[in-house]
Amino acid sequence: MPDTWEALEHDCKNCRECSLWETRTNVVFGVGNRNAEVLFIGEGPGANEDAQGVPFVGRAGHLLDDMLEIIGLKRDDVYIANIVKCRPPENRDPLGVEQDACIGYLRRQVALLRPKIIVCLGRIAAMRIIKPDFKITREHGQWFEKNGYQMMAVYHPAALLRDPRRRPESFEDFKALQQKINELCEHTHAVS
Ligand code: URA
């Protein structure tokens, strides 16, 4: 049987493949447009996301919304997911075993969505999705082609909150994203 969003969401919400299920309030499956041409991938839910079951709803999420707005996009124009769907305690980085247990759900999301562009939010997602030795300070904003997808990584919005001096670089990265969207996407229009 072909996969469906409903089957995937059901599997994900009942998952006990790693120990994070024991401390989660909600599985944070993903949000946005299931026909989106642009997929954003974060690292994993924090406290607000765990409480609400929706990715990027805390302060970092508001900053992500602002960055999207700068290039004329809303959450509903894109899809937003994470490498791991359950909150790692104390907001630590997700462990390799947790990522390995969860990555199949993201693969199924990508297979259903078939986006044109994948944007990794931060180092953890970039190392998992683009290449294991990804260096975010050096390689953010650069385009990579992998498995037919155009990919880039930007600084994680939480990193921009911690260090606002990186914001101008991030602004340039979003401008590059805007240009790529307008080159490749058929129904997503990024404008400033
Ligand atoms: N940080 C992430 O990487 N993902 C979220 O959903 C929220 C914060």
Side-chain angles (χ1 to χ4, degrees):
M1 257 205 323
D3 205 4
T4 62
W5 282 102
E6 290 68 31
L8 174 54
E9 192 162 2
H10 176 271
D11 292 349
C12 195
K13 291 200 165 162
N14 290 290
C15 182
R16 292 186 175 188
E17 291 292 323
C18 80
S19 59
L20 294 181
W21 77 270
E22 293 171 34
T23 47
R24 76 182 174 218
T25 311
N26 283 295
V27 172
V28 180
F29 176 68
V31 75
N33 189 327
R34 291 178 175 183
N35 294 309
E37 295 169 297
V38 186
L39 168 63
F40 285 82
I41 303 176
E43 136 186 1
N48 295 295
E49 291 76 21
D50 177 60
Q52 294 181 44
V54 180
F56 285 97
V57 288
R59 279 183 70 217
H62 287 135
L63 182 55
L64 175 60
D65 289 340
D66 290 347
M67 301 298 274
L68 289 175
E69 198 182 320
I70 286 173
I71 58 168
L73 295 178
K74 294 185 295 299
R75 260 174 192 241
D76 235 25
D77 298 319
V78 301
Y79 196 84
I80 304 173
N82 280 307
I83 300 282
V84 298
K85 311 302 198 215
C86 297
R87 182 191 182 203
E90 318 297 329
N91 295 342
R92 63 161 169 74
D93 292 348
L95 304 175
V97 284
E98 293 160 354
Q99 295 185 30
D100 292 346
C102 211
I103 199 76
Y105 298 119
L106 183 62
R107 287 213 183 95
R108 287 170 66 186
Q109 286 174 311
V110 171
L112 287 165
L113 199 61
R114 302 205 49 76
K116 297 263 190 330
I117 296 171
I118 296 178
V119 183
C120 296
L121 295 164
R123 178 181 67 91
I124 299 283
M127 288 171 69
R128 187 74 207 203
I129 302 297
I130 301 177
K131 53 178 183 159
D133 62 347
F134 196 91
K135 295 280 179 291
I136 192 78
T137 44
R138 214 178 321 131
E139 295 176 295
H140 69 91
Q142 291 182 23
W143 288 103
F144 295 81
E145 202 204 313
K146 200 174 154 189
N147 305 329
Y149 297 106
Q150 286 292 324
M151 304 184 179
M152 80 136 105
V154 296
Y155 284 122
H156 194 288
L160 297 177
L161 289 172
R162 279 194 302 273
D163 186 358
R165 288 169 306 179
R166 292 178 178 179
R167 285 194 196 196
E169 288 171 76
S170 220
F171 181 74
E172 292 305 317
D173 295 347
F174 271 78
K175 285 289 182 193
L177 172 61
Q178 176 183 45
Q179 205 173 6
K180 190 66 101 184
I181 288 173
N182 292 334
E183 242 169 66
L184 295 185
C185 294
E186 282 155 29
H187 58 79
T188 312
H189 303 290
V191 289
S192 47

